């Protein structure tokens, strides 16, 4: 019975470790309605992040950089300020809480990932090999190695989060990688 108890504890730790939400920092919980709007379009996240970069804190500069209309951009900025995800001072934006996060079982998670994958596909033909990377590698591997790779990817997400947290805000990048069984 001790063996069964220990196996159960190990499985619980493994399950918790696999949850990315326990590995990334989260500063602001959005309401369901706020989440629906924030994750409806990549521009909400992009404007919030660009507001942290010196020289891009003026809304007009951000809209121009992202190719957004003033009316849509202003709607996004108003939402970001209202929810505290951005702050405004003397006509300039600043980023509020550092990160938001959707749980894996959120109905909005596929929309969020899809928004950024579309942006990645738009960018792909113009990638700069010196500082950008796209990687796809269909493969076959053992069931045990599937779990090893999944663990490595979770570790990578945590390590990236640890680097990004204290990093100076200078450029907007997006990390997308997919790891899934093809059926």
């Amino acid at each position: 019975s001790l063996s069964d108890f220990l196996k159960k504890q190990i499985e619980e730790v493994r399950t918790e470790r696999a949850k990315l939400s326990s590995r990334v920092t989260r500063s602001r919980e959005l309401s369901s309605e706020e989440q629906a709007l924030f994750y409806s379009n990549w521009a909400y996240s992009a404007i919030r992040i660009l507001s942290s970069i010196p020289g891009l804190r003026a809304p007009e500069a951000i809209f121009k950089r992202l190719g957004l209309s003033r009316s849509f951009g202003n709607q996004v900025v108003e939402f970001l300020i209202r929810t505290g995800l951005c702050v405004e001072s003397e006509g300039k934006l600043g980023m509020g809480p550092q990160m938001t996060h959707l749980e894996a079982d959120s109905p909005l998670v596929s929309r969020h990932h899809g928004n950024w994958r579309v942006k990645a596909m738009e960018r792909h033909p113009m990638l700069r090999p010196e500082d950008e990377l796209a990687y796809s590698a269909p493969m076959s591997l053992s069931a045990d190695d599937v779990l090893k790779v999944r663990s490595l990817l979770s570790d990578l997400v945590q390590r990236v989060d640890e680097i990004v947290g204290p990093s100076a805000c200078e450029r907007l990048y997006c990390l997308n990688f997919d790891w899934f069984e093809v059926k």
Side-chain angles (χ1 to χ4, degrees):
S1 77
L2 178 60
S3 176
D4 289 340
F5 173 75
L6 293 174
K7 285 180 184 176
K8 183 180 176 187
Q9 278 192 323
I10 289 169
E11 187 56 36
E12 287 174 1
V13 168
R14 184 177 289 152
T15 299
E16 185 60 30
R17 186 168 163 74
K19 291 181 184 176
L20 290 181
S21 62
S22 67
R23 295 172 149 239
V24 296
T25 56
R26 191 178 356 185
S27 303
R28 165 80 160 81
E29 290 286 335
L30 297 175
S31 72
S32 296
E33 295 80 20
E34 291 169 338
Q35 283 184 3
L37 190 54
F38 184 78
Y39 293 109
S40 70
N41 189 295
W42 61 272
Y44 286 84
S45 183
I47 289 173
R48 183 177 67 89
I49 294 166
L50 284 174
S51 74
S52 70
I53 299 175
L56 280 174
R57 292 191 169 139
E60 290 297 324
I62 293 173
F63 305 161
K64 182 177 179 182
R65 164 83 184 270
L66 297 175
L68 301 175
S69 71
R70 178 181 291 154
S71 62
F72 176 68
N74 284 334
Q75 288 175 358
V76 173
V77 167
E78 182 181 301
F79 169 85
L80 294 172
I81 292 169
R82 183 176 69 248
T83 58
L85 292 173
C86 279
V87 293
E88 183 180 22
S89 176
E90 299 177 12
K92 305 284 185 191
L93 293 176
M95 195 160 77
Q98 218 175 24
M99 187 174 291
T100 60
H101 180 79
L102 280 175
E103 296 297 330
D105 60 355
S106 168
L108 299 171
V109 79
S110 61
R111 175 67 174 202
H112 173 60
H113 291 305
N115 288 337
W116 285 104
R117 297 233 169 28
V118 167
K119 292 306 292 177
M121 293 302 296
E122 290 172 359
R123 179 76 184 131
H124 191 344
M126 301 166 282
L127 288 179
R128 296 179 313 265
E130 66 275 6
D131 66 346
E132 295 177 304
L133 174 68
Y135 184 74
S136 296
M139 63 188 75
S140 76
L141 63 164
S142 72
D144 286 342
D145 288 341
V146 166
L147 297 177
K148 289 176 187 174
V149 172
R150 171 63 166 85
S151 179
L152 283 171
L153 294 175
S154 293
D155 291 345
L156 175 65
V157 169
Q158 184 176 0
R159 289 179 62 195
V160 167
D161 188 50
E162 290 167 359
I163 292 168
V164 170
S167 182
C169 298
E170 297 173 351
R171 300 173 80 182
L172 172 62
Y173 270 70
C174 179
L175 171 64
N176 289 331
F177 58 79
D178 299 307
W179 179 245
F180 58 95
E181 182 176 3
V182 179
K183 292 188 175 198

